[in-house]
Amino acid sequence: MSILEIIKEPWPWYIAGPLIGLTVPILLIIGNKSFGISSSLRHICAACIPANISFFKYDWKKESWNLFFVFGIFLGGVIAAYFLSNPNEVTITPELSEKLATYGITDHTGLVPKQLFSWESLLTLRGFIMIVVGGFLVGFGTRYAGGCTSGHAIMGLSNLQWPSLVATICFMIGGFVMALLILPYILSL
């Protein structure tokens, strides 16, 4: 198996997890930096929006490294999607495939089902709820929790921060409630 074939395959948790986890000490050692993605949106707004909003009045240039970090994530995603993507269908269990078929989701050729995440599905009630309402709730929850899942679950927990533990527990409970109770109802629309 060549290196390119290995890169194209999904990496197991015991490889990807430690690599993500090593981000925390590397950032702390390099320059006492905190890992988090949602703060970069605040930095972009502070740099680009000349408004008199106190939330955006700070020296965002001190945190400009975060913008390069997020740009690297974006660029890595683009490279992976266009040059390293696996052309085969996503492998899922037959039980899940049957369950998704009852909701009209049969295309497993992308990273996400096209029946849920596409411009055509955006014009349906189900697509609008999944994309627009879901996006709003993620943004609201990130702001309300004072950070995103990567900031709290990866950086905050590794620093033993009590608010990050509470936020991560709430993220997990919310994910379970969504996946088990709310999502089946939305998919049946």
Side-chain angles (χ1 to χ4, degrees), residues 63-169:
E63 301 297 327
S64 61
W65 72 271
N66 194 296
L67 299 176
F68 289 102
F69 186 81
V70 170
F71 179 72
I73 292 171
F74 171 76
L75 187 61
V78 169
I79 291 169
Y82 285 102
F83 302 110
L84 301 174
S85 63
N86 189 339
N88 303 322
E89 284 192 359
V90 175
T91 306
I92 59 174
T93 63
E95 295 83 13
L96 179 59
S97 183
E98 290 174 17
K99 184 71 172 174
L100 290 173
T102 63
Y103 297 119
I105 301 169
T106 56
D107 184 4
H108 307 294
T109 56
L111 292 176
V112 293
K114 290 180 181 146
Q115 289 99 347
L116 290 178
F117 300 100
S118 65
W119 290 109
E120 295 80 27
S121 70
L122 180 59
L123 302 176
T124 66
L125 178 61
R126 176 170 74 174
F128 183 82
I129 291 171
M130 293 288 291
I131 298 171
V132 176
V133 175
F136 172 79
L137 290 174
V138 167
F140 176 81
T142 299
R143 178 69 183 109
Y144 188 73
C148 59
T149 52
S150 61
H152 281 299
I154 298 171
M155 188 71 186
L157 289 180
S158 65
N159 287 328
L160 303 175
Q161 295 179 5
W162 175 251
S164 291
L165 177 62
V166 172
T168 303
I169 290 170

Side-chain angles (χ1 to χ4, degrees), residues 17-36:
L19 287 176
I20 293 169
L22 286 173
T23 305
V24 174
I26 290 171
L27 286 173
L28 289 173
I29 291 169
I30 288 176
N32 200 24
K33 306 292 184 190
S34 289
F35 177 71

